[in-house]
Amino acid sequence: MNIGELRNVNGRLIGSIATRTIDLPRIGLNPVQNDNPRAPKYEVLALNVARRWVQIGAVWEATMKRSGEQFLAGSIDDPSLPEPLSIALFPAADFDGYMVAWRRDTMRSDFGTGFGASNYDREVQGDRTRSGDRRDRGDSGFGESTAGARGELVGAGGPDDLDDDMPF
């Protein structure tokens, strides 16, 4: 999925990246000057709220296995992100620059079997389960319900049991 583009502006690669939750309206690629063959090709920089350029990632030269086409691959990371964002930069056909794409490395398993297999699901073999499995105990892993038949709160105390010392 394309999430941005970088254009050659006066000899500098400048552009933006935007997703539903990330908006980097001004990013740039700074060439890395290093003789080490394992060094990144570019640092990925972003303009922060104080209007200073800060490094948020790096990209390396890569080659597609099937076609041999060259592209750049790396990641963007920042303390505000829950995890690094893997990106790939492909030469743009329409202009002098790159299209920025991303992909999730593995299928998400935090939503159960509908979105990828979890370790729990891999342990279950058909209708048979291993001894001590949560399904043997009738436990979904979330504990006992606190909702009664009509939706009322049961088994967890009432509103009088709330801790008033909590700030929220």
Side-chain angles (χ1 to χ4, degrees):
M1 174 187 310
N2 287 331
I3 60 171
E5 63 182 43
L6 294 156
R7 294 177 180 261
N8 190 336
V9 178
N10 298 325
R12 293 184 173 191
L13 289 165
I14 305 286
S16 63
I17 291 177
T19 69
R20 187 179 67 78
T21 58
I22 298 170
D23 187 15
L24 299 170
R26 186 99 166 155
I27 64 166
L29 295 184
N30 186 36
V32 172
Q33 305 298 325
N34 193 319
D35 293 332
N36 186 337
R38 297 178 61 117
K41 177 80 172 172
Y42 294 99
E43 296 173 321
V44 180
L45 305 172
L47 204 55
N48 71 7
V49 295
R51 311 262 326 135
R52 289 189 302 227
W53 289 100
V54 295
Q55 183 177 354
I56 59 168
V59 292
W60 287 258
E61 289 184 321
T63 304
M64 287 190 194
K65 293 178 184 176
R66 291 186 182 159
S67 69
E69 181 183 351
Q70 295 279 324
F71 67 103
L72 300 171
S75 65
I76 292 174
D77 200 2
D78 184 79
S80 65
L81 298 175
E83 61 186 33
L85 178 66
S86 296
I87 59 170
L89 285 69
F90 297 96
D94 299 342
F95 56 88
D96 185 20
Y98 294 94
M99 296 301 298
V100 182
W102 78 281
R103 73 176 178 87
R104 184 169 282 124
D105 288 332
T106 59
M107 288 184 66
R108 293 181 67 148
S109 63
D110 52 346
F111 292 110
T113 58
F115 292 90
S118 68
N119 287 335
Y120 174 74
D121 294 319
R122 282 191 279 278
E123 292 175 1
V124 177
Q125 301 168 1
D127 290 338
R128 298 177 43 162
T129 58
R130 293 185 179 178
S131 178
D133 192 323
R134 289 184 289 212
R135 292 182 187 177
D136 287 342
R137 297 188 311 264
D139 182 5
S140 66
F142 292 109
E144 298 297 318
S145 176
T146 57
R150 294 184 309 269
E152 73 278 7
L153 181 64
V154 295
D160 296 333
D161 288 346
L162 295 176
D163 186 357
D164 290 334
D165 293 334
M166 299 299 291
F168 51 89

